[in-house]
Amino acid sequence: MRIDTHVHSNVSDGTDTPTRLVRKAAEQGVDVIGLTDHDTFDGLREAKLAATEAGIEALPGIEISCQADGQSVHLLGYGCDPHFEPLLDELARVRVGRTGRLPDMLAKLASLGMPLTEDDVLHQVGGSPSVGRPHVADALVAKGYVADRQEAFDKLLYDGGPAYSHRYSMDIRLGIELVRQANGVPVLAHPWGRGREHVLTPPVLTELTLEYRLEGVEVDHPDHDEATRAELRPLADRLGLLAFGSSDHHGLGKVDHELACNTTAPDVYDELLRRVRARGGHL
Ligand code: AMP
Ligand code: FE
Ligand code: FE
Ligand code: ZN
């Protein structure tokens, strides 16, 4: 069984439609594909249909933009009720905040000698209900200002970077509570990638688990090197957290994130399904 529990379609910042993503997974021998678009459930119906047609399993998920101590952290939710109003309200706030900061980012880019119009960016958005930094990055590439998405992030768009603009995100504790109230299973995405180990420290992970009932963490993820995985795995074990593995595939939007380059163990996946079913979640 090859199980990839965290991938993005063009309903957020990936480059493949949910259908194309599922077909690609089936062609490549992936048995389970967990679609986890940023801050939206919009792609899940299409993914489910495509998976039934392709003869593989679609795991319904979401990746929620949260913060811990003002730093951006990501929470995966599996099996959430996609109609649970309090979660939908928070997701709408995140998406509105993301799209709303666009003029500020464009003004910063113009002052750096890289003018873009809103239309230039909207041209890159595909089916996404919010306009994120990856779409701004794609517009910069299309104009020839940078070579690829990564260069746009490394030089301009990284958190606190010269063209960065802050946006709303919910506290990670609220995120975990909302996922649980929506009958879903909360799992921290790449907790120790890109400097997040400084905010998601072992004491914080312990608090999130014991007081907020976080249920899993990603251990095998492209943003975690071998040493990081070797340190995180035993901590997850001690806390009784399920340890996930994923590609965080974004289509052409991210290199070295090929489908199923990391995978989740079948027994972890089975336990996840058991928990979602036990609480009447959405599969
Ligand atoms: P936004 O929600 O608009 O702030 O954009 C966040 C998204 O941009 C993340 O979900 C990632 O896909 C991508 N991203 C954030 N930081 C980086 C980075 N340093 N390098 C590449 N992609 C990044
Ligand atoms: Fe992304
Ligand atoms: Fe993420
Ligand atoms: Zn992701």
Side-chain angles (χ1 to χ4, degrees):
M1 282 276 270
R2 295 178 77 209
I3 301 165
D4 191 343
T5 45
H6 176 173
V7 307
H8 296 268
S9 76
N10 71 348
V11 172
S12 63
D13 58 347
T15 55
D16 294 309
T17 62
T19 299
R20 180 76 203 112
L21 197 57
V22 166
R23 289 191 183 152
K24 237 169 60 175
E27 281 161 19
Q28 295 176 21
V30 176
D31 303 284
V32 178
I33 185 106
L35 183 63
T36 54
D37 275 312
H38 296 287
D39 308 305
T40 178
F41 296 112
D42 287 1
L44 296 183
R45 228 174 250 272
E46 182 182 327
K48 178 120 275 178
L49 272 175
T52 304
E53 222 169 78
I56 67 171
E57 271 177 56
L59 167 69
I62 188 166
E63 184 174 19
I64 304 176
S65 303
C66 298
Q67 55 159 317
D69 271 339
Q71 194 178 321
S72 154
V73 299
H74 291 173
L75 179 70
L76 298 162
Y78 294 106
C80 295
D81 170 4
H83 305 292
F84 181 61
E85 293 280 340
L87 177 55
L88 291 176
D89 283 343
E90 274 300 305
L91 295 176
R93 276 183 89 180
V94 172
R95 292 195 308 265
V96 167
R98 180 181 284 123
T99 303
R101 76 184 158 166
L102 191 57
D104 187 43
M105 297 220 289
L106 297 184
K108 285 178 172 152
L109 284 168
S111 73
L112 293 163
M114 287 172 266
L116 284 181
T117 65
E118 290 208 19
D119 276 349
D120 292 333
V121 179
L122 294 176
H123 199 67
Q124 305 295 331
V125 171
S128 177
S130 63
V131 185
R133 280 180 285 167
H135 307 117
V136 175
D138 291 347
L140 290 166
V141 175
K143 281 271 181 190
Y145 296 137
V146 292
D148 53 30
R149 240 191 217 187
Q150 196 56 53
E151 187 185 339
F153 270 96
D154 291 347
K155 292 192 172 156
L156 300 161
L157 299 172
Y158 61 89
D159 288 17
Y164 175 75
S165 178
H166 186 70
R167 62 169 168 77
Y168 172 77
S169 57
M170 69 194 86
D171 189 86
I172 184 70
R173 293 162 186 83
L174 176 60
I176 293 171
E177 284 177 341
L178 289 172
V179 167
R180 290 200 59 116
Q181 288 167 11
N183 300 327
V185 173
V187 173
L188 266 186
H190 43 70
W192 287 358
R194 295 203 185 124
R196 292 184 173 101
E197 64 275 17
H198 301 299
V199 325
L200 297 174
T201 57
V204 172
L205 292 182
T206 304
E207 178 210 341
L208 295 180
T209 306
L210 300 183
E211 290 180 37
Y212 293 86
R213 294 187 293 157
L214 177 71
E215 295 181 71
V217 283
E218 286 190 315
V219 173
D220 294 317
H221 182 281
D223 289 353
H224 291 165
D225 62 21
E226 283 306 325
T228 301
R229 298 177 191 201
E231 219 178 306
L232 186 52
R233 200 181 310 276
L235 175 63
D237 280 348
R238 268 204 305 285
L239 292 172
L241 291 167
L242 299 171
F244 287 77
S246 76
S247 65
D248 205 352
H249 185 64
H250 281 66
L252 302 174
K254 270 190 187 174
V255 293
D256 298 329
H257 288 251
E258 292 319 309
L259 274 178
C261 62
N262 295 289
T263 55
T264 292
D267 60 322
V268 171
Y269 177 62
D270 288 343
E271 176 60 19
L272 172 68
L273 294 185
R274 196 191 64 71
R275 292 187 193 186
V276 172
R277 289 198 183 106
R279 63 191 69 158
H282 166 90
L283 284 173

